[in-house]
Amino acid sequence: MDIFNYTNNRLIDIGFEPYELDEIQGLGAVIYRTSVNHVVMKKIHTNEELINISSYSNKIRNIMLNEGVNTSNTYLFFCIDEPIEYETFFLIERNTTSLRKYVLRNEIDLNRIPFLDNISEEAGNSVGKIKENQEHNFYLQKVYEFITSHNGYHNKLSKNEIERSVKMIIDLVEERYEN
């Protein structure tokens, strides 16, 4: 599944509703909303579209302002299936003029977005997942044992304890590779 469809499904799964806005559709994009956030999503097909992202972002912002939408909670998602240079990717996202923008190439990029983050949803289940995966990953089991033996679920590990755990893992890896 391409990133555009995957993102569409994720947005709908977490409660975003697609809605029609002729001006947005005229620009080749779709829009989703919740009671708090708005997401405008566009699939990028050419390098020329990448070059014009700033003016595109400004057009979207003006449309949203005319609709009475809080642009502080409006995001632009640019879905790109083609390889993109890191510098271009970085410059697009760091330019917060008009609206906040995210370049989405894969699920990892999608998980960087705070209000779409699957990791925070899974945090509550992490203990169960760790226990479930212990038998599958030798190192994970050792880290889990170290954390529980140092009461890491209830207290913050000290810098010294973290350094000892990292050293323990490095030693285990070296020992395993020597055998």
mmCIF file of all heavy atoms in Angstrom, residues 147-176:
data_model
loop_
_atom_site.group_PDB
_atom_site.id
_atom_site.type_symbol
_atom_site.label_atom_id
_atom_site.label_comp_id
_atom_site.label_asym_id
_atom_site.label_seq_id
_atom_site.Cartn_x
_atom_site.Cartn_y
_atom_site.Cartn_z
ATOM 1 N N ILE A 147 16.471 -3.890 33.970
ATOM 2 C CA ILE A 147 15.521 -2.847 34.382
ATOM 3 C C ILE A 147 14.720 -3.286 35.604
ATOM 4 O O ILE A 147 14.575 -2.535 36.567
ATOM 5 C CB ILE A 147 14.580 -2.476 33.214
ATOM 6 C CG1 ILE A 147 15.369 -1.724 32.141
ATOM 7 C CG2 ILE A 147 13.404 -1.628 33.692
ATOM 8 C CD1 ILE A 147 14.608 -1.505 30.855
ATOM 9 N N THR A 148 14.222 -4.508 35.579
ATOM 10 C CA THR A 148 13.411 -4.970 36.712
ATOM 11 C C THR A 148 14.260 -5.149 37.964
ATOM 12 O O THR A 148 13.796 -4.859 39.070
ATOM 13 C CB THR A 148 12.670 -6.281 36.387
ATOM 14 O OG1 THR A 148 13.603 -7.265 35.949
ATOM 15 C CG2 THR A 148 11.610 -6.056 35.322
ATOM 16 N N SER A 149 15.508 -5.582 37.818
ATOM 17 C CA SER A 149 16.352 -5.760 38.999
ATOM 18 C C SER A 149 16.753 -4.428 39.624
ATOM 19 O O SER A 149 17.109 -4.377 40.792
ATOM 20 C CB SER A 149 17.603 -6.579 38.648
ATOM 21 O OG SER A 149 18.467 -5.832 37.817
ATOM 22 N N HIS A 150 16.674 -3.341 38.870
ATOM 23 C CA HIS A 150 17.011 -2.011 39.380
ATOM 24 C C HIS A 150 15.756 -1.154 39.583
ATOM 25 O O HIS A 150 15.842 0.065 39.635
ATOM 26 C CB HIS A 150 17.987 -1.303 38.433
ATOM 27 C CG HIS A 150 19.347 -1.931 38.443
ATOM 28 N ND1 HIS A 150 19.663 -3.010 37.662
ATOM 29 C CD2 HIS A 150 20.450 -1.648 39.177
ATOM 30 C CE1 HIS A 150 20.905 -3.365 37.885
ATOM 31 N NE2 HIS A 150 21.414 -2.557 38.811
ATOM 32 N N ASN A 151 14.619 -1.806 39.699
ATOM 33 C CA ASN A 151 13.344 -1.139 39.944
ATOM 34 C C ASN A 151 13.079 -0.028 38.924
ATOM 35 O O ASN A 151 12.558 1.038 39.237
ATOM 36 C CB ASN A 151 13.291 -0.578 41.371
ATOM 37 C CG ASN A 151 11.868 -0.377 41.840
ATOM 38 O OD1 ASN A 151 10.932 -0.928 41.270
ATOM 39 N ND2 ASN A 151 11.708 0.421 42.881
ATOM 40 N N GLY A 152 13.449 -0.309 37.654
ATOM 41 C CA GLY A 152 13.333 0.680 36.581
ATOM 42 C C GLY A 152 11.919 1.006 36.162
ATOM 43 O O GLY A 152 11.693 1.993 35.473
ATOM 44 N N TYR A 153 10.959 0.196 36.561
ATOM 45 C CA TYR A 153 9.569 0.521 36.218
ATOM 46 C C TYR A 153 9.004 1.602 37.121
ATOM 47 O O TYR A 153 8.043 2.266 36.765
ATOM 48 C CB TYR A 153 8.678 -0.721 36.302
ATOM 49 C CG TYR A 153 8.835 -1.627 35.117
ATOM 50 C CD1 TYR A 153 9.220 -2.940 35.278
ATOM 51 C CD2 TYR A 153 8.604 -1.153 33.831
ATOM 52 C CE1 TYR A 153 9.377 -3.773 34.192
ATOM 53 C CE2 TYR A 153 8.757 -1.971 32.735
ATOM 54 C CZ TYR A 153 9.135 -3.281 32.920
ATOM 55 O OH TYR A 153 9.293 -4.091 31.835
ATOM 56 N N HIS A 154 9.593 1.771 38.276
ATOM 57 C CA HIS A 154 9.063 2.729 39.233
ATOM 58 C C HIS A 154 9.995 3.907 39.475
ATOM 59 O O HIS A 154 9.548 4.943 39.957
ATOM 60 C CB HIS A 154 8.764 2.033 40.572
ATOM 61 C CG HIS A 154 7.806 0.894 40.417
ATOM 62 N ND1 HIS A 154 6.481 1.076 40.123
ATOM 63 C CD2 HIS A 154 7.997 -0.443 40.481
ATOM 64 C CE1 HIS A 154 5.889 -0.096 40.017
ATOM 65 N NE2 HIS A 154 6.780 -1.039 40.238
ATOM 66 N N ASN A 155 11.266 3.740 39.179
ATOM 67 C CA ASN A 155 12.245 4.795 39.403
ATOM 68 C C ASN A 155 13.029 5.048 38.123
ATOM 69 O O ASN A 155 13.229 4.153 37.316
ATOM 70 C CB ASN A 155 13.242 4.396 40.503
ATOM 71 C CG ASN A 155 12.553 4.174 41.829
ATOM 72 O OD1 ASN A 155 11.656 4.913 42.202
ATOM 73 N ND2 ASN A 155 12.969 3.147 42.539
ATOM 74 N N LYS A 156 13.487 6.259 37.992
ATOM 75 C CA LYS A 156 14.337 6.622 36.872
ATOM 76 C C LYS A 156 15.715 6.024 37.105
ATOM 77 O O LYS A 156 16.273 6.145 38.202
ATOM 78 C CB LYS A 156 14.414 8.141 36.764
ATOM 79 C CG LYS A 156 15.196 8.633 35.597
ATOM 80 C CD LYS A 156 15.133 10.158 35.542
ATOM 81 C CE LYS A 156 15.971 10.696 34.410
ATOM 82 N NZ LYS A 156 15.920 12.154 34.364
ATOM 83 N N LEU A 157 16.266 5.353 36.097
ATOM 84 C CA LEU A 157 17.611 4.791 36.232
ATOM 85 C C LEU A 157 18.624 5.930 36.257
ATOM 86 O O LEU A 157 18.493 6.913 35.540
ATOM 87 C CB LEU A 157 17.923 3.850 35.072
ATOM 88 C CG LEU A 157 17.072 2.585 34.965
ATOM 89 C CD1 LEU A 157 17.449 1.794 33.722
ATOM 90 C CD2 LEU A 157 17.197 1.717 36.198
ATOM 91 N N SER A 158 19.640 5.753 37.079
ATOM 92 C CA SER A 158 20.688 6.770 37.150
ATOM 93 C C SER A 158 21.567 6.666 35.903
ATOM 94 O O SER A 158 21.547 5.677 35.180
ATOM 95 C CB SER A 158 21.542 6.559 38.406
ATOM 96 O OG SER A 158 22.312 5.377 38.264
ATOM 97 N N LYS A 159 22.362 7.698 35.701
ATOM 98 C CA LYS A 159 23.285 7.702 34.564
ATOM 99 C C LYS A 159 24.242 6.514 34.663
ATOM 100 O O LYS A 159 24.527 5.849 33.673
ATOM 101 C CB LYS A 159 24.056 9.020 34.534
ATOM 102 C CG LYS A 159 24.979 9.156 33.363
ATOM 103 C CD LYS A 159 25.675 10.509 33.359
ATOM 104 C CE LYS A 159 26.634 10.597 32.183
ATOM 105 N NZ LYS A 159 27.340 11.853 32.133
ATOM 106 N N ASN A 160 24.690 6.219 35.867
ATOM 107 C CA ASN A 160 25.595 5.103 36.100
ATOM 108 C C ASN A 160 24.925 3.769 35.745
ATOM 109 O O ASN A 160 25.531 2.894 35.131
ATOM 110 C CB ASN A 160 26.076 5.117 37.563
ATOM 111 C CG ASN A 160 27.142 4.097 37.827
ATOM 112 O OD1 ASN A 160 27.919 3.757 36.936
ATOM 113 N ND2 ASN A 160 27.187 3.595 39.057
ATOM 114 N N GLU A 161 23.662 3.603 36.130
ATOM 115 C CA GLU A 161 22.933 2.368 35.831
ATOM 116 C C GLU A 161 22.723 2.210 34.329
ATOM 117 O O GLU A 161 22.833 1.109 33.790
ATOM 118 C CB GLU A 161 21.586 2.352 36.558
ATOM 119 C CG GLU A 161 21.715 2.179 38.059
ATOM 120 C CD GLU A 161 20.407 2.412 38.790
ATOM 121 O OE1 GLU A 161 19.611 3.268 38.365
ATOM 122 O OE2 GLU A 161 20.202 1.715 39.815
ATOM 123 N N ILE A 162 22.451 3.301 33.654
ATOM 124 C CA ILE A 162 22.280 3.248 32.197
ATOM 125 C C ILE A 162 23.592 2.866 31.533
ATOM 126 O O ILE A 162 23.628 2.021 30.642
ATOM 127 C CB ILE A 162 21.747 4.592 31.662
ATOM 128 C CG1 ILE A 162 20.317 4.805 32.156
ATOM 129 C CG2 ILE A 162 21.803 4.633 30.140
ATOM 130 C CD1 ILE A 162 19.758 6.175 31.881
ATOM 131 N N GLU A 163 24.694 3.470 31.987
ATOM 132 C CA GLU A 163 26.009 3.142 31.435
ATOM 133 C C GLU A 163 26.347 1.672 31.678
ATOM 134 O O GLU A 163 26.883 0.997 30.796
ATOM 135 C CB GLU A 163 27.075 4.049 32.037
ATOM 136 C CG GLU A 163 27.006 5.468 31.522
ATOM 137 C CD GLU A 163 27.965 6.420 32.228
ATOM 138 O OE1 GLU A 163 28.671 6.006 33.186
ATOM 139 O OE2 GLU A 163 27.996 7.598 31.818
ATOM 140 N N ARG A 164 26.009 1.156 32.859
ATOM 141 C CA ARG A 164 26.263 -0.261 33.154
ATOM 142 C C ARG A 164 25.423 -1.159 32.250
ATOM 143 O O ARG A 164 25.908 -2.198 31.785
ATOM 144 C CB ARG A 164 25.954 -0.563 34.625
ATOM 145 C CG ARG A 164 27.034 -0.077 35.560
ATOM 146 C CD ARG A 164 26.970 -0.669 36.963
ATOM 147 N NE ARG A 164 25.676 -1.192 37.350
ATOM 148 C CZ ARG A 164 25.012 -0.841 38.445
ATOM 149 N NH1 ARG A 164 25.526 0.041 39.262
ATOM 150 N NH2 ARG A 164 23.849 -1.367 38.733
ATOM 151 N N SER A 165 24.170 -0.771 31.993
ATOM 152 C CA SER A 165 23.320 -1.602 31.128
ATOM 153 C C SER A 165 23.843 -1.607 29.696
ATOM 154 O O SER A 165 23.845 -2.649 29.038
ATOM 155 C CB SER A 165 21.869 -1.138 31.177
ATOM 156 O OG SER A 165 21.705 0.103 30.551
ATOM 157 N N VAL A 166 24.312 -0.471 29.215
ATOM 158 C CA VAL A 166 24.876 -0.405 27.859
ATOM 159 C C VAL A 166 26.141 -1.246 27.775
ATOM 160 O O VAL A 166 26.338 -2.011 26.827
ATOM 161 C CB VAL A 166 25.149 1.062 27.454
ATOM 162 C CG1 VAL A 166 25.954 1.131 26.167
ATOM 163 C CG2 VAL A 166 23.842 1.836 27.320
ATOM 164 N N LYS A 167 26.995 -1.137 28.786
ATOM 165 C CA LYS A 167 28.219 -1.947 28.812
ATOM 166 C C LYS A 167 27.867 -3.433 28.838
ATOM 167 O O LYS A 167 28.489 -4.241 28.149
ATOM 168 C CB LYS A 167 29.084 -1.574 30.011
ATOM 169 C CG LYS A 167 30.402 -2.357 30.029
ATOM 170 C CD LYS A 167 31.269 -1.971 31.178
ATOM 171 C CE LYS A 167 32.561 -2.721 31.284
ATOM 172 N NZ LYS A 167 32.756 -3.907 30.538
ATOM 173 N N MET A 168 26.858 -3.803 29.610
ATOM 174 C CA MET A 168 26.428 -5.191 29.694
ATOM 175 C C MET A 168 25.996 -5.700 28.304
ATOM 176 O O MET A 168 26.387 -6.787 27.890
ATOM 177 C CB MET A 168 25.264 -5.327 30.675
ATOM 178 C CG MET A 168 24.676 -6.735 30.741
ATOM 179 S SD MET A 168 23.085 -6.807 31.556
ATOM 180 C CE MET A 168 22.048 -5.913 30.414
ATOM 181 N N ILE A 169 25.242 -4.899 27.577
ATOM 182 C CA ILE A 169 24.777 -5.312 26.251
ATOM 183 C C ILE A 169 25.953 -5.443 25.292
ATOM 184 O O ILE A 169 26.047 -6.422 24.545
ATOM 185 C CB ILE A 169 23.732 -4.314 25.714
ATOM 186 C CG1 ILE A 169 22.468 -4.389 26.568
ATOM 187 C CG2 ILE A 169 23.403 -4.594 24.252
ATOM 188 C CD1 ILE A 169 21.484 -3.283 26.312
ATOM 189 N N ILE A 170 26.870 -4.489 25.332
ATOM 190 C CA ILE A 170 28.047 -4.553 24.460
ATOM 191 C C ILE A 170 28.852 -5.803 24.766
ATOM 192 O O ILE A 170 29.279 -6.521 23.858
ATOM 193 C CB ILE A 170 28.906 -3.274 24.608
ATOM 194 C CG1 ILE A 170 28.149 -2.085 23.999
ATOM 195 C CG2 ILE A 170 30.270 -3.452 23.947
ATOM 196 C CD1 ILE A 170 28.776 -0.739 24.289
ATOM 197 N N ASP A 171 29.057 -6.088 26.048
ATOM 198 C CA ASP A 171 29.792 -7.301 26.434
ATOM 199 C C ASP A 171 29.079 -8.559 25.958
ATOM 200 O O ASP A 171 29.715 -9.500 25.482
ATOM 201 C CB ASP A 171 29.986 -7.351 27.956
ATOM 202 C CG ASP A 171 30.928 -6.276 28.464
ATOM 203 O OD1 ASP A 171 31.666 -5.674 27.644
ATOM 204 O OD2 ASP A 171 30.919 -6.020 29.689
ATOM 205 N N LEU A 172 27.764 -8.584 26.071
ATOM 206 C CA LEU A 172 26.995 -9.747 25.621
ATOM 207 C C LEU A 172 27.109 -9.942 24.113
ATOM 208 O O LEU A 172 27.260 -11.072 23.631
ATOM 209 C CB LEU A 172 25.521 -9.602 26.007
ATOM 210 C CG LEU A 172 25.177 -9.771 27.478
ATOM 211 C CD1 LEU A 172 23.740 -9.353 27.741
ATOM 212 C CD2 LEU A 172 25.399 -11.209 27.920
ATOM 213 N N VAL A 173 27.057 -8.850 23.374
ATOM 214 C CA VAL A 173 27.176 -8.931 21.916
ATOM 215 C C VAL A 173 28.560 -9.440 21.541
ATOM 216 O O VAL A 173 28.701 -10.340 20.708
ATOM 217 C CB VAL A 173 26.884 -7.560 21.257
ATOM 218 C CG1 VAL A 173 27.259 -7.568 19.793
ATOM 219 C CG2 VAL A 173 25.424 -7.182 21.438
ATOM 220 N N GLU A 174 29.595 -8.877 22.172
ATOM 221 C CA GLU A 174 30.960 -9.316 21.879
ATOM 222 C C GLU A 174 31.138 -10.790 22.219
ATOM 223 O O GLU A 174 31.730 -11.555 21.450
ATOM 224 C CB GLU A 174 31.956 -8.458 22.647
ATOM 225 C CG GLU A 174 32.100 -7.060 22.104
ATOM 226 C CD GLU A 174 33.010 -6.179 22.956
ATOM 227 O OE1 GLU A 174 33.461 -6.607 24.036
ATOM 228 O OE2 GLU A 174 33.264 -5.048 22.509
ATOM 229 N N GLU A 175 30.624 -11.194 23.376
ATOM 230 C CA GLU A 175 30.732 -12.584 23.808
ATOM 231 C C GLU A 175 30.009 -13.518 22.836
ATOM 232 O O GLU A 175 30.523 -14.567 22.468
ATOM 233 C CB GLU A 175 30.141 -12.728 25.207
ATOM 234 C CG GLU A 175 30.175 -14.135 25.763
ATOM 235 C CD GLU A 175 29.530 -14.210 27.132
ATOM 236 O OE1 GLU A 175 29.798 -13.304 27.966
ATOM 237 O OE2 GLU A 175 28.736 -15.131 27.358
ATOM 238 N N ARG A 176 28.848 -13.113 22.390
ATOM 239 C CA ARG A 176 28.063 -13.947 21.481
ATOM 240 C C ARG A 176 28.749 -14.089 20.129
ATOM 241 O O ARG A 176 28.694 -15.136 19.497
ATOM 242 C CB ARG A 176 26.676 -13.350 21.335
ATOM 243 C CG ARG A 176 25.641 -14.366 21.005
ATOM 244 C CD ARG A 176 24.269 -13.906 21.416
ATOM 245 N NE ARG A 176 23.379 -15.022 21.322
ATOM 246 C CZ ARG A 176 22.098 -14.915 21.154
ATOM 247 N NH1 ARG A 176 21.551 -13.737 21.082
ATOM 248 N NH2 ARG A 176 21.344 -15.980 21.068
#
